Amino acid sequence: MVIPAALRSEIAEHARGELPNEACGLLLLDGDVAVEYVPGENASPSPYYFELRLDPVVWADLGDRDVRQAVVHSHVSSPPRPSRTDVERIGLWQGQPYVIYSVRLDELAAWQIADGAIEPLPVSGS
Amino acid sequence: MTVVRIPPTLRTEVGGARQVEAEGETVREVLDDLVERHPALAPQILQDGGLAPFVNVYVGGEDVRTLDGLDTSVPVGGTVILLPAMAGGSSPSWSRPAVAGSLLDLIGSTPLVELPRLSPKSSVKLYAKLEGQNPTGSIKDRVAKAMIESAEASGELEPGRALLEPTSGNTGISLALVAALKGYPLTCVIPENATPERKRLLRLYGADVVLSPAAEGSNGAVRLALEMAEADPRWFVPFQYANEANPRAHYEGTGAEIAEALERVDVLVAGLGTGGTLMGAGERVREAFPDVVVAAAEPLPGDPVMGLRSLDDGYVPPILDVARLDRKVLVSNEESVATVRDLLRLEGLFAGVSAGAVVAVARRLAAELDEGVVVTILADAGWKYLSADFWDAETDAVAASMERTVWW
């Protein structure tokens, strides 16, 4: 997955702006290249939890565009690796791109979670 | 007709369509009609007569869970939107359930407590992770549960087999709990000088006990158990010294809990027994705090602290990679005992002897820092050592033992 620096900054800024809580949103991908970050609202604001809320019509419209979606959320202090909660709550996002940004470490990583297994997706900057 | 908009993650179930039609006056009727037309959708959107947990349904832009749920009415010609219910986060399941279905669900998620009276300076915070608060009173509950469940998952352990494990006591008691709840018979090989409480507890929990020579310590229990297993293949030996589920339980549990509870960790100290805690928790804490010093508290050779291991005594557990320890600090029995008494006297914390060794090492490393956070993992509480006479014995040898410290 390619995440250009400008989009990475948008994610980082959103995550810092939501401190002390986790931030979440969607990253839109053209093939493997990220083209847009759509910040969401954390419907369960907490330093340890997120629940992604977007206007349902907006999200449904995104689904009709010819782009792939990656769910993005921040970890306030832990590394950008899926936690047990992330794995347990992956739900319909099984096998889909899943991006985590660690605010404390300023690190971003992408993953695929399916059947309880976590696979890293390589990320490059451009 | 109602239009139902389908998210990309559910389109395979509807032949790739972005939206489909369904009929009904309420959400329940619409979804029932929808799964009749597209049966593959059923498990994804309906469960146990209600909405599946990982899907959100919107009518008029509102989440039906905030309206009347499945009874929410759908206006004629309206649109129903299905979307993934995405949630997650770094931590929340670290808290224990208020009501658990099984004691096994209460393993782990132990608290951390600060030990301000034992920290050598106020600028260094000293924390203890209280593993004595696991169901059988020790950190080994995590290991026992992980080893048995991993063997069940891989098919190695099936109903009808019997468990055999060498242990200085705590692992046996933990295995006895897990084995009893899951229906496996258990035999433990334990050094004959283990405290009477441990032997008694093992038997009370339903385990058979085989004693190994006191002089050989826990190495002797390992030798005897492996000999027994070789002679009789019906035994399944979880063998915590070589079982990867042991460090994994600490990576996924103990270490992750510490990493997610604290903003900073400069030093992590645990006892060197099987190496599982130091390897697993050490790795996870190092991922979160790359500069952390992972330190092992090791008993002086020939001066065994119950539950800890001296590498010089000749057996290096296969799961232990000493290269991944940043420091190894030797600690005497006398100092361990003096510190476990300090823990009780100054902090009101009734801990096991190995906790004394761990906290003694933590205090020395804390004294080297100008400021920071030192975390100790206290493997068990003091109850199983009550019969030992050190609790109220006079001791003046503590200062002398400090000078026998070796660093590397």
Side-chain angles (χ1 to χ4, degrees):
Chain A
M1 180 187 301
V2 179
I3 303 180
L7 285 179
R8 189 190 190 283
S9 302
E10 277 184 47
I11 293 170
E13 262 169 53
H14 180 214
R16 282 194 294 270
E18 290 294 313
L19 287 176
N21 298 324
E22 294 190 359
C24 51
L26 288 178
L27 191 61
L28 306 184
L29 302 157
D30 183 359
D32 284 334
V33 182
V35 291
E36 189 181 336
Y37 176 59
V38 183
E41 182 191 343
N42 184 349
S44 299
S46 153
Y48 305 110
Y49 200 69
F50 81 92
E51 197 184 323
L52 175 59
R53 181 186 285 158
L54 285 172
D55 181 302
V57 177
V58 170
W59 194 353
D61 287 347
L62 291 174
D64 289 350
R65 278 172 56 181
D66 201 12
V67 286
R68 294 163 68 215
Q69 302 171 12
V71 164
V72 179
H73 81 283
S74 64
H75 283 179
V76 171
S77 71
S78 60
R81 182 186 160 77
S83 67
R84 193 161 68 185
T85 314
D86 292 333
V87 174
E88 284 169 359
R89 301 299 309 265
I90 195 67
L92 298 185
W93 219 257
Q94 292 241 20
Q96 301 296 316
Y98 192 81
V99 172
I100 305 176
Y101 173 73
S102 166
V103 180
R104 186 176 58 80
L105 300 172
D106 185 28
E107 282 175 18
L108 180 147
W111 309 88
Q112 242 178 1
I113 303 170
D115 302 322
I118 301 167
E119 292 291 327
L121 293 175
V123 177
S124 62
S126 58
Chain B
M1 271 303 168
T2 299
V3 168
V4 183
R5 299 186 70 178
I6 307 291
T9 45
L10 287 177
R11 285 182 191 161
T12 324
E13 284 82 350
V14 295
R18 292 178 172 187
Q19 55 186 52
V20 295
E21 290 187 329
E23 224 168 341
E25 291 178 4
T26 63
V27 171
R28 185 189 308 276
E29 289 173 10
V30 169
L31 295 184
D32 282 345
D33 187 43
L34 182 65
V35 301
E36 197 160 308
R37 296 165 190 241
H38 307 280
L41 271 180
Q44 308 278 25
I45 62 175
L46 292 172
Q47 238 174 57
D48 303 327
L51 269 184
F54 295 122
V55 72
N56 284 340
V57 179
Y58 299 85
V59 172
E62 296 289 327
D63 183 342
V64 300
R65 284 193 179 90
T66 67
L67 302 172
D68 296 326
L70 290 175
D71 296 325
T72 304
S73 57
V74 178
V76 178
T79 299
V80 170
I81 297 177
L82 303 186
L83 286 170
M86 278 314 300
S90 54
S91 165
S93 54
W94 299 131
S95 59
R96 289 185 174 182
V99 178
S102 157
L103 263 186
L104 300 182
D105 297 334
L106 296 180
I107 291 173
S109 300
T110 52
L112 280 161
V113 67
E114 193 177 345
L115 307 175
R117 295 165 198 83
L118 284 179
S119 175
K121 48 182 90 166
S122 58
S123 56
V124 178
K125 289 195 182 301
L126 181 59
Y127 291 96
K129 191 155 174 67
L130 304 183
E131 291 299 312
Q133 298 202 9
N134 279 298
T136 74
S138 91
I139 194 168
K140 296 298 187 180
D141 286 358
R142 297 177 185 266
V143 177
K145 180 183 172 192
M147 291 194 302
I148 290 187
E149 292 188 345
S150 132
E152 285 177 330
S154 71
E156 271 181 287
L157 180 57
E158 291 170 325
R161 288 198 77 181
L163 300 166
L164 174 70
E165 182 74 7
T167 161
S168 63
N170 277 335
T171 305
I173 294 165
S174 299
L175 279 170
L177 169 70
V178 182
L181 291 182
K182 287 175 174 279
Y184 303 104
L186 168 71
T187 298
C188 290
V189 184
I190 144 169
E192 61 192 349
N193 59 336
T195 63
E197 292 93 328
R198 287 176 183 236
K199 296 173 198 162
R200 195 164 188 194
L201 265 172
L202 276 173
R203 293 188 177 111
L204 287 172
Y205 268 105
D208 290 326
V209 173
V210 172
L211 298 176
S212 62
E216 292 180 47
S218 51
N219 291 347
V222 170
R223 178 190 55 75
L224 183 55
L226 293 182
E227 283 172 14
M228 288 171 65
E230 199 155 316
D232 183 351
R234 88 189 158 93
W235 295 113
F236 174 76
V237 188
F239 202 49
Q240 56 170 340
Y241 296 92
N243 193 320
E244 283 302 322
N246 173 359
R248 194 165 63 245
H250 294 298
Y251 177 89
E252 292 172 357
T254 326
E257 291 164 27
I258 292 169
E260 293 181 5
L262 296 171
E263 293 294 310
R264 170 178 182 175
V265 181
D266 298 282
V267 179
L268 177 71
V269 189
L272 182 59
T274 63
T277 310
L278 284 158
M279 292 295 105
E283 183 180 347
R284 183 65 181 77
V285 171
R286 189 178 283 118
E287 278 180 14
F289 309 102
D291 298 328
V292 70
V293 170
V294 176
E298 185 184 344
L300 285 170
D303 198 1
V305 175
M306 183 66 70
L308 297 190
R309 158 177 313 281
S310 169
L311 293 175
D312 291 345
D313 285 347
Y315 179 75
V316 179
I319 58 169
L320 174 64
D321 175 5
V322 288
R324 283 158 61 202
L325 297 176
D326 299 308
R327 294 179 87 160
K328 180 183 77 158
V329 184
L330 296 183
V331 59
S332 69
N333 236 343
E334 288 155 329
E335 193 183 357
S336 305
V337 165
T339 310
V340 85
R341 289 168 62 175
D342 283 349
L343 270 169
L344 186 50
R345 187 168 53 86
L346 297 172
E347 300 283 4
L349 186 51
F350 186 40
V353 195
S354 74
V358 166
V359 172
V361 167
R363 293 175 80 175
R364 290 192 224 162
L365 299 183
E368 293 180 6
L369 299 175
D370 293 328
E371 48 130 23
V373 173
V374 176
V375 178
T376 60
I377 299 174
L378 308 192
D380 63 2
W383 308 104
K384 279 172 278 190
Y385 308 86
L386 260 182
S387 67
D389 53 13
F390 58 72
W391 291 106
D392 30 35
E394 292 299 320
T395 174
D396 55 5
V398 176
S401 72
M402 299 284 280
E403 290 170 15
R404 291 195 276 158
T405 305
V406 176
W407 307 91
W408 54 261

